[in-house]
C-alpha cells in the first residue's frame, strides 16, 4: 500500500511529466505565438510556463485526493479518474495541434472537447471530494481563457 505522500507525489509527477513532454515536443514551435496576430488581452509568453506548472501541480493534488477515495467509492473513483485521464490526454494534444500544426480552427474545436471533459471531470470530482473539484477551478478558468485566445487568434489570422 502506497503512503499518501507517495500517491500525491506520483499524481503530481504524472501531470508535470505530461506537461513537460508536451513542452519538449513543441519547443521548436512555441515561437509561432510571437508571430501571429493576438487579441488585446494576450498575456506575455513568460506567464505560460509559470501558469502551467502551477496548474499541473494543482491537477496532481486534485487527482490524488480523488484516488484516495477509492476505498469508499471504488466505481465512482475509477470513473472520475478515467475522465481525468481523458482530459489530461486532450490537454496534452491541444498545444501540438495549435503550436505545431498551426490549425487554429481545429485546435479551437479540440479545446471545446477539453472544456467539455473538464466540466464532466469537475462534476465527478465534486461528488467525491469538494476540495479536489475546487483545485481544478483555476485550470478550468485558464482553459476558458485559452479558448478566448484561440478563437481570437483564429479570427485575426
Amino acid at each position: 500500500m502506497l503512503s499518501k505522500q507517495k500517491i500525491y507525489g506520483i499524481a503530481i509527477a504524472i501531470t508535470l511529466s505530461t506537461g513537460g513532454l508536451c513542452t519538449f515536443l513543441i519547443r521548436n514551435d512555441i515561437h509561432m505565438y510571437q508571430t501571429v496576430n493576438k487579441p488585446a488581452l494576450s498575456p506575455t509568453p513568460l506567464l505560460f510556463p509559470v501558469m502551467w506548472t502551477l496548474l499541473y501541480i494543482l491537477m496532481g493534488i486534485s487527482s490524488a485526493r480523488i484516488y484516495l477515495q477509492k476505498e469508499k467509492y471504488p466505481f465512482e473513483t475509477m470513473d472520475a479518474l478515467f475522465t481525468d485521464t481523458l482530459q489530461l490526454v486532450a490537454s496534452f494534444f491541444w498545444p501540438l495541434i495549435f503550436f505545431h500544426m498551426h490549425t487554429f480552427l481545429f485546435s479551437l474545436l479540440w479545446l471545446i472537447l477539453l472544456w467539455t471533459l473538464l466540466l464532466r471531470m469537475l462534476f465527478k470530482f465534486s461528488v467525491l471530494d469538494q476540495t479536489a473539484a475546487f483545485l481544478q477551478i483555476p485550470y478550468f478558468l485558464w482553459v476558458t481563457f485559452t479558448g478566448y485566445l484561440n478563437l481570437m487568434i483564429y479570427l485575426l489570422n
Side-chain angles (χ1 to χ4, degrees), residues 6 24 34-36 39 42 53 66 69 73 83-84 87 93-94 101 103 114 117 132 136-138 151-152 155:
K6 286 185 181 182
F24 175 78
Q34 298 297 332
T35 65
V36 297
S42 295
T53 301
I66 294 301
Q69 300 296 321
Y73 310 104
T83 304
D84 184 35
Q87 72 77 25
F93 282 105
W94 179 83
M101 295 171 58
T103 52
L114 172 59
L117 288 168
Q136 295 283 356
I137 297 296
L151 172 64
M152 293 309 296
L155 293 174

Side-chain angles (χ1 to χ4, degrees), residues 65-78:
R65 290 184 64 90
I66 294 301
Y67 180 80
L68 291 169
Q69 300 296 321
K70 70 180 174 26
E71 298 298 322
K72 287 193 275 185
Y73 310 104
F75 175 77
E76 295 85 350
T77 298
M78 291 303 115

Side-chain angles (χ1 to χ4, degrees), residues 43-69:
T44 174
L46 298 174
L47 179 63
F48 292 104
V50 173
M51 250 339 259
W52 276 110
T53 301
L54 175 63
L55 293 172
Y56 282 125
I57 291 169
L58 291 175
M59 290 163 60
I61 293 169
S62 178
S63 298
R65 290 184 64 90
I66 294 301
Y67 180 80
L68 291 169
Q69 300 296 321

Side-chain angles (χ1 to χ4, degrees), residues 32-33 36-39 42 94 97-98 101-112 145-157:
M32 176 276 295
Y33 185 75
V36 297
N37 296 318
K38 293 178 282 304
S42 295
W94 179 83
I97 296 165
F98 184 86
M101 295 171 58
H102 302 196
T103 52
F104 302 137
L105 178 58
F106 181 56
S107 64
L108 179 61
L109 296 173
W110 191 266
L111 203 58
I112 292 168
F145 180 66
T146 302
Y148 156 76
L149 290 174
N150 193 152
L151 172 64
M152 293 309 296
I153 288 170
Y154 168 68
L155 293 174
L156 292 170
N157 294 279

Side-chain angles (χ1 to χ4, degrees), residues 22-40:
C22 184
T23 301
F24 175 78
L25 293 174
I26 64 167
R27 70 190 179 285
N28 296 325
D29 304 310
I30 294 177
H31 65 83
M32 176 276 295
Y33 185 75
Q34 298 297 332
T35 65
V36 297
N37 296 318
K38 293 178 282 304

